[in-house]
Amino acid sequence: MKLYRPVGTAELKLIEQSGYKAFPPRLPEQPIFYPVLNEKYAREIAERWNVKDTSDHKGYVTEFEVDDDYCSKFQVQTVGRSYHQELWVPADELENFNRHIIGTIKVITEFSGDDTDIKEM
């Protein structure tokens, strides 16, 4: 299954440290890891939230593949509009989730606080 994850710079650095093979553990106040099912939704989050909520005003969209059979254990959650779809992975399942990533995590888009600065990777 192809999934997307909007991230800020700090999370992207941790992904880079893993060799683009894993997402970092969740913080104690983050009980769910939520990859999203489509690029449109991931871009919205990166541009609207990550850019505003990070000190460097940057947001990134990552794309990655996860084993279909493994993903089937998580119910798709629709959290707004019909395309606002996520998988809710419990934080204590993230290490196992990372083991089911096929290949590497790729950065496909970068947003900055300047709306004119969008980089397609």
Side-chain angles (χ1 to χ4, degrees):
M1 171 181 271
K2 185 184 288 187
L3 295 169
Y4 302 87
R5 172 88 179 143
V7 299
T9 302
E11 189 171 356
L12 183 59
K13 286 181 180 178
L14 295 171
I15 293 167
E16 182 181 8
Q17 288 173 8
S18 78
Y20 294 93
K21 299 236 180 235
F23 290 95
R26 306 304 289 154
L27 300 173
E29 66 273 13
Q30 299 171 320
I32 302 288
F33 173 74
Y34 59 94
V36 304
L37 274 61
N38 62 77
E39 184 179 349
K40 179 179 181 178
Y41 181 34
R43 289 173 66 99
E44 281 183 14
I45 296 169
E47 184 175 23
R48 293 182 184 171
W49 298 105
N50 294 110
V51 166
K52 293 177 185 173
D53 291 344
T54 59
S55 60
D56 65 355
H57 303 288
K58 292 193 178 218
Y60 306 87
V61 175
T62 63
E63 177 185 85
F64 57 101
E65 295 272 342
V66 179
D67 177 81
D68 288 340
D69 288 338
Y70 175 76
C71 283
S72 70
K73 74 186 269 183
F74 303 104
Q75 187 174 12
V76 173
Q77 305 290 328
T78 303
V79 296
R81 294 185 174 196
S82 61
Y83 65 91
H84 290 170
Q85 295 184 309
E86 308 171 345
L87 292 183
W88 287 1
V89 179
D92 61 358
E93 178 70 19
L94 183 55
E95 189 175 328
N96 193 29
F97 179 91
N98 284 332
R99 285 194 288 272
H100 288 87
I101 292 174
I102 300 166
T104 58
I105 300 164
K106 297 168 188 65
V107 177
I108 59 170
T109 308
E110 176 187 330
F111 295 93
S112 73
D114 175 0
D115 289 339
T116 62
D117 192 12
I118 300 171
K119 296 179 184 170
E120 303 293 335
M121 309 308 243

mmCIF file of all heavy atoms in Angstrom, residues 17 29 65 67 71 75 119:
data_model
loop_
_atom_site.group_PDB
_atom_site.id
_atom_site.type_symbol
_atom_site.label_atom_id
_atom_site.label_comp_id
_atom_site.label_asym_id
_atom_site.label_seq_id
_atom_site.Cartn_x
_atom_site.Cartn_y
_atom_site.Cartn_z
ATOM 1 N N GLN A 17 18.290 9.952 9.560
ATOM 2 C CA GLN A 17 19.237 9.197 10.398
ATOM 3 C C GLN A 17 18.987 7.693 10.315
ATOM 4 O O GLN A 17 19.898 6.898 10.529
ATOM 5 C CB GLN A 17 19.152 9.661 11.850
ATOM 6 C CG GLN A 17 19.739 11.034 12.075
ATOM 7 C CD GLN A 17 19.498 11.543 13.490
ATOM 8 O OE1 GLN A 17 19.019 10.830 14.364
ATOM 9 N NE2 GLN A 17 19.826 12.806 13.717
ATOM 10 N N GLU A 29 2.965 12.276 24.328
ATOM 11 C CA GLU A 29 1.644 12.871 24.108
ATOM 12 C C GLU A 29 1.062 12.535 22.727
ATOM 13 O O GLU A 29 0.013 13.058 22.346
ATOM 14 C CB GLU A 29 1.697 14.393 24.301
ATOM 15 C CG GLU A 29 2.522 15.139 23.285
ATOM 16 C CD GLU A 29 4.014 15.257 23.617
ATOM 17 O OE1 GLU A 29 4.513 14.566 24.523
ATOM 18 O OE2 GLU A 29 4.684 16.045 22.941
ATOM 19 N N GLU A 65 5.992 2.784 0.803
ATOM 20 C CA GLU A 65 5.163 1.588 0.603
ATOM 21 C C GLU A 65 5.225 0.730 1.857
ATOM 22 O O GLU A 65 6.285 0.601 2.477
ATOM 23 C CB GLU A 65 5.690 0.752 -0.573
ATOM 24 C CG GLU A 65 5.602 1.424 -1.909
ATOM 25 C CD GLU A 65 4.281 1.192 -2.625
ATOM 26 O OE1 GLU A 65 3.543 0.245 -2.257
ATOM 27 O OE2 GLU A 65 3.996 1.962 -3.544
ATOM 28 N N ASP A 67 3.717 -3.163 3.339
ATOM 29 C CA ASP A 67 3.129 -4.450 2.994
ATOM 30 C C ASP A 67 1.599 -4.405 3.144
ATOM 31 O O ASP A 67 1.083 -4.043 4.198
ATOM 32 C CB ASP A 67 3.733 -5.511 3.921
ATOM 33 C CG ASP A 67 3.150 -6.870 3.705
ATOM 34 O OD1 ASP A 67 3.579 -7.553 2.757
ATOM 35 O OD2 ASP A 67 2.247 -7.242 4.478
ATOM 36 N N CYS A 71 -0.907 -3.839 6.463
ATOM 37 C CA CYS A 71 -1.769 -2.660 6.557
ATOM 38 C C CYS A 71 -3.228 -3.018 6.772
ATOM 39 O O CYS A 71 -3.978 -2.234 7.362
ATOM 40 C CB CYS A 71 -1.642 -1.795 5.296
ATOM 41 S SG CYS A 71 -0.142 -0.819 5.252
ATOM 42 N N GLN A 75 -7.767 -0.182 10.472
ATOM 43 C CA GLN A 75 -8.966 0.336 9.819
ATOM 44 C C GLN A 75 -8.691 1.737 9.283
ATOM 45 O O GLN A 75 -8.052 2.554 9.947
ATOM 46 C CB GLN A 75 -10.111 0.374 10.821
ATOM 47 C CG GLN A 75 -11.433 0.738 10.217
ATOM 48 C CD GLN A 75 -12.569 0.614 11.219
ATOM 49 O OE1 GLN A 75 -12.360 0.470 12.417
ATOM 50 N NE2 GLN A 75 -13.780 0.672 10.724
ATOM 51 N N LYS A 119 8.679 23.003 -3.520
ATOM 52 C CA LYS A 119 9.617 22.216 -4.310
ATOM 53 C C LYS A 119 9.080 20.814 -4.484
ATOM 54 O O LYS A 119 8.819 20.124 -3.517
ATOM 55 C CB LYS A 119 10.983 22.152 -3.625
ATOM 56 C CG LYS A 119 11.657 23.488 -3.513
ATOM 57 C CD LYS A 119 12.987 23.354 -2.806
ATOM 58 C CE LYS A 119 13.625 24.704 -2.594
ATOM 59 N NZ LYS A 119 14.784 24.636 -1.719
#
